[in-house]
Amino acid sequence: MCIRDRHFRNVPAALRDGFTYEKKLPVAIWRGSTTGLCWYLPMDEKMAAERTECARRNLVTTWAKNGVDNIDIGLTNIVQLSKKMESKYSSLVKKEMSIHDMLQYRYIISVEGNDVATNLKWALASNSVVFMPPPTRESIILESTLYPWIHYVPLSYDFSDLQVKIKYCDDNPLVCQNISATATKCMLPFSTRSNIFSLGARILEAFVTEMKGLGIF
């Protein structure tokens, strides 16, 4: 699957999000696979809380079976693991959800796996608000320029603060609506194939010019 399809194919639909923030379910939602690291660690491994690369594993092991009404976390695929580890996490697998289904939720969690989080672009473009740990990977949208409490609601890498952040947003809907609106504006330049390809061409041109200046090309 090309990068455009993986990262941006759902952005136009999210920009047409038919669910207003107020009418969305006040629930934090996430579905994804066992990409990333740390899945071989024991579920109660405390050191994982300090490791950014363990974030996806931390989210799933902490919340997938917690039974809290306003948190819905689940795996849809178990990948890159041994058969023994597949059995360990099989009870955390839930029904896969479409983008349309997830847009009905007010809080969409985004968390990195092997690379940047695949759902981040469309989640930012939607009327929902993104919950995520500070990103550590960079793509064409420049994740490092996304600021906590401006473009997204920040979470710790062990997700121990998830309930606290949900309650804050429940109590301060206008703050979170403004965060969502600001994030959506950031995604407008990526709403069409031509815009994305044009931006990619400009980046490549700038890169080649820089390399020539350094005498590499």
Side-chain angles (χ1 to χ4, degrees), residues 108-186:
I108 298 177
I109 297 174
S110 186
V111 57
E112 296 170 342
N114 292 336
D115 198 349
V116 294
T118 303
N119 75 336
L120 179 58
K121 279 78 170 178
W122 67 258
L124 289 169
S126 74
N127 293 331
S128 301
V129 63
V130 171
F131 279 39
M132 69 176 181
T136 65
R137 316 286 176 81
E138 192 94 316
S139 74
I140 196 171
I141 71 167
L142 300 179
E143 281 81 356
S144 62
T145 65
L146 299 175
Y147 296 104
W149 299 113
I150 295 176
H151 301 100
Y152 66 94
V153 173
L155 294 171
S156 63
Y157 291 101
D158 66 357
F159 293 89
S160 59
D161 56 346
L162 180 54
Q163 280 188 304
V164 172
K165 298 297 174 60
I166 292 173
K167 186 178 187 309
Y168 175 85
C169 287
D170 286 344
D171 294 341
N172 298 275
L174 291 180
V175 172
C176 292
Q177 281 180 275
N178 286 335
I179 293 173
S180 175
T182 302
T184 298
K185 289 180 182 178
C186 287

Side-chain angles (χ1 to χ4, degrees), residues 74-146:
L75 292 168
T76 54
N77 295 290
I78 299 178
V79 299
Q80 303 173 4
L81 299 180
S82 66
K83 292 294 183 182
K84 180 178 179 180
M85 297 306 292
E86 285 183 17
S87 176
K88 175 181 177 180
Y89 291 107
S90 60
S91 64
L92 306 183
V93 174
K94 295 185 179 181
K95 182 180 179 181
E96 191 169 355
M97 299 177 68
S98 68
I99 303 299
H100 180 270
D101 290 338
M102 286 189 280
L103 287 177
Q104 298 179 55
Y105 293 81
R106 195 173 289 174
Y107 314 126
I108 298 177
I109 297 174
S110 186
V111 57
E112 296 170 342
N114 292 336
D115 198 349
V116 294
T118 303
N119 75 336
L120 179 58
K121 279 78 170 178
W122 67 258
L124 289 169
S126 74
N127 293 331
S128 301
V129 63
V130 171
F131 279 39
M132 69 176 181
T136 65
R137 316 286 176 81
E138 192 94 316
S139 74
I140 196 171
I141 71 167
L142 300 179
E143 281 81 356
S144 62
T145 65
L146 299 175

Side-chain angles (χ1 to χ4, degrees), residues 4 12 16 24-25 28 30 39 50 54 62 65 129 133 156 163-164 174 177 180 194 204:
R4 189 265 171 188
R16 298 191 300 271
K24 290 174 182 275
L25 298 171
W30 182 84
W39 294 97
E50 306 299 325
C54 295
T62 302
K65 294 186 71 174
V129 63
S156 63
Q163 280 188 304
V164 172
L174 291 180
Q177 281 180 275
S180 175
S194 61
L204 179 59

Side-chain angles (χ1 to χ4, degrees), residues 2-13 15 118 121-122 125 139-142 186-205:
C2 74
I3 291 175
R4 189 265 171 188
D5 284 342
R6 177 190 167 198
H7 292 282
F8 296 102
R9 62 175 174 171
N10 294 308
V11 168
L15 288 170
T118 303
K121 279 78 170 178
W122 67 258
S139 74
I140 196 171
I141 71 167
L142 300 179
C186 287
M187 295 308 299
L188 292 176
F190 305 95
S191 59
T192 67
R193 180 187 294 265
S194 61
N195 283 355
I196 295 168
F197 287 169
S198 176
L199 178 58
R202 293 201 302 272
I203 292 172
L204 179 59
E205 182 180 8

